[in-house]
Amino acid sequence: YVAQLRKLEKHCQAEPTDAAAAFVLAYHYLVTGAKDEAIHALRAVVKNQPKDVTAKRMLDALAPPTVEPPKPHVRIS
């Protein structure tokens, strides 16, 4: 398993726009408990396939997007 995972990692490094391979890599990272690596792989998927709703949902679940708090309204008289 590890040998095949390393081959997939090398493929994803050599072909950074291969969203399908990055998704498979993210899945394997998730099942092995490598959350940070899964997030990195899912970011590659979302970057290259922005319409991939499943990858976006998975990424948001693992690394919720940061939301800036609203700025207070200052009234100048």
Side-chain angles (χ1 to χ4, degrees), residues 31-75:
V31 297
T32 60
K35 180 182 172 183
D36 291 339
E37 291 83 354
I39 290 169
H40 180 76
L42 286 168
R43 284 184 176 142
V45 176
V46 171
K47 177 183 175 185
N48 291 299
Q49 290 290 336
K51 293 182 181 180
D52 188 329
V53 177
T54 301
K56 177 72 170 121
R57 287 183 183 161
M58 290 172 67
L59 179 59
D60 288 347
L62 293 170
T66 56
V67 178
E68 292 184 29
K71 294 181 181 181
H73 180 72
V74 178
R75 185 176 176 147

Side-chain angles (χ1 to χ4, degrees), residues 1 6-7 10 13-14 21-24 28-29 34 54 61 64 70 76:
Y1 176 82
R6 297 297 175 243
K7 285 182 183 181
K10 286 181 182 179
Q13 288 173 352
F23 187 85
V24 172
H28 283 283
Y29 283 148
T54 301
I76 302 175

